[in-house]
Amino acid sequence: GVLLLQASQETQFMTRYHGFLLLAFVAVWTWAAIEPSYPHDWLLENYLVFFFVPVILLTGRYFRLSRLSYTLITTFMSLHVVGSHFTYAEVPFGYMLQRWFEADRNMYDRLVHLAFGLLLAYPMRELLLRVAKAGGVWGYALPMAMVLAFSAFYEIIEWLVAVRVDPQAGLAFLGAQGDVWDGQKDMLLAFLGATLTMFIVALINWRYDPKFTADLRASLKIEHNDKPLGEEALQEMLKNTRNDSP
């Protein structure tokens, strides 16, 4: 009976813990939506929320991530909506960080970009391991590459939006605070966060997974029947097409 109860809980669309995470995020989002400092910037920042939260909820019916991954995602999204309430350049905690690090700018923006890699690299790794079967070295390298790619993509979106909306809202959304290298620094912090997370995950697997070293070696092994791709593969496809044609 206990086993059946556990099985039914695992197959539920939303467990009690998932519901707690959702309610916690809704509470933070509701607070952030009440009288934001710059309503136009709040709307721009929340387009990501309006898109990704439904995607996460819908895909959870067919492909459920671990509790750890959902916790990390919820934490990052909460940090993001806090920034949307004040704008990233004016979050009070960012001024506190500015004093601690003796920086010349509000540091909340830097914190969230670091958190992007630190918190989301693991869910990306879980996705790659389970869907793309990217084990071994690639299970660590590809999440770092994905974080860097998504960071670059977001910087491009920021630029495209900032040049098309009201200048004041665009500057608040961009959050560069006068730093011409802001985008590059943000991407670097995200990459460093992802690197740290993958290093920690690798240490845990090295300590507890007896197949850790063997998996790393196997992921770099080139099979004896390996063939070049490109024009060789195209020629093979054309040959097969001709053979299959009546």
Side-chain angles (χ1 to χ4, degrees):
V2 174
L3 292 176
L4 289 174
L5 177 61
Q6 290 177 344
S8 65
Q9 289 176 342
E10 289 299 320
T11 56
Q12 289 176 2
F13 166 55
M14 183 176 293
T15 66
R16 188 173 300 177
Y17 185 73
H18 294 127
F20 165 75
L21 290 178
L22 181 59
L23 287 175
F25 176 73
V26 169
V28 176
W29 184 88
T30 302
W31 166 83
I34 298 173
E35 297 183 356
S37 299
Y38 298 92
H40 292 299
D41 176 66
W42 176 88
L43 181 61
L44 291 174
E45 299 284 4
N46 276 271
Y47 281 132
L48 292 175
V49 177
F50 300 150
F51 176 77
F52 281 109
V53 170
V55 168
I56 292 170
L57 291 174
L58 290 172
T59 56
R61 277 187 167 275
Y62 311 100
F63 182 82
R64 179 180 296 177
L65 296 171
S66 63
R67 290 186 176 186
L68 175 58
S69 287
Y70 284 128
T71 303
L72 295 172
I73 292 170
T74 303
T75 303
F76 174 76
M77 296 295 286
S78 298
L79 290 172
H80 174 70
V81 296
V82 169
S84 73
H85 177 79
F86 297 100
T87 77
Y88 275 82
E90 298 182 12
V91 176
F93 182 64
Y95 289 121
M96 189 181 301
L97 291 174
Q98 180 179 354
R99 292 192 295 271
W100 290 350
F101 290 97
E102 298 181 351
D104 58 357
R105 56 172 285 158
N106 187 299
M107 295 293 286
Y108 190 79
D109 179 57
R110 298 282 190 245
L111 172 66
V112 175
H113 281 89
L114 176 67
F116 178 77
L118 199 65
L119 299 176
L120 297 190
Y122 185 83
M124 292 180 186
R125 169 179 161 81
E126 184 177 352
L127 181 68
L128 288 165
L129 287 177
R130 294 171 59 190
V131 178
K133 313 301 180 185
V137 172
W138 311 112
Y140 302 99
L142 290 180
M144 294 160 56
M146 281 185 67
V147 164
L148 195 56
F150 277 114
S151 296
F153 182 64
Y154 183 73
E155 295 297 331
I156 293 172
I157 292 176
E158 279 191 336
W159 161 59
L160 292 174
V161 171
V163 298
R164 284 170 171 78
V165 299
D166 175 75
Q168 184 177 4
L171 287 174
F173 180 65
L174 200 59
Q177 301 183 60
D179 188 350
V180 296
W181 304 111
D182 180 70
Q184 288 82 355
K185 292 176 182 178
D186 289 344
M187 289 186 286
L188 174 62
L189 283 170
F191 181 72
L192 291 176
T195 302
L196 178 58
T197 294
M198 289 300 99
F199 178 72
I200 294 171
V201 173
L203 283 180
I204 294 172
N205 280 281
W206 172 74
R207 175 65 179 83
Y208 295 105
D209 185 0
K211 299 184 297 180
F212 174 75
T213 304
D215 287 343
L216 293 182
R217 288 198 300 264
S219 67
L220 296 174
K221 181 181 178 181
I222 300 176
E223 300 295 336
H224 293 298
N225 60 349
D226 177 73
K227 296 180 180 179
L229 298 177
E231 68 279 2
E232 291 88 351
L234 177 60
Q235 290 173 359
E236 186 69 22
M237 285 188 288
L238 293 174
K239 179 181 178 181
N240 292 336
T241 300
R242 287 193 294 268
N243 293 336
D244 293 339
S245 60

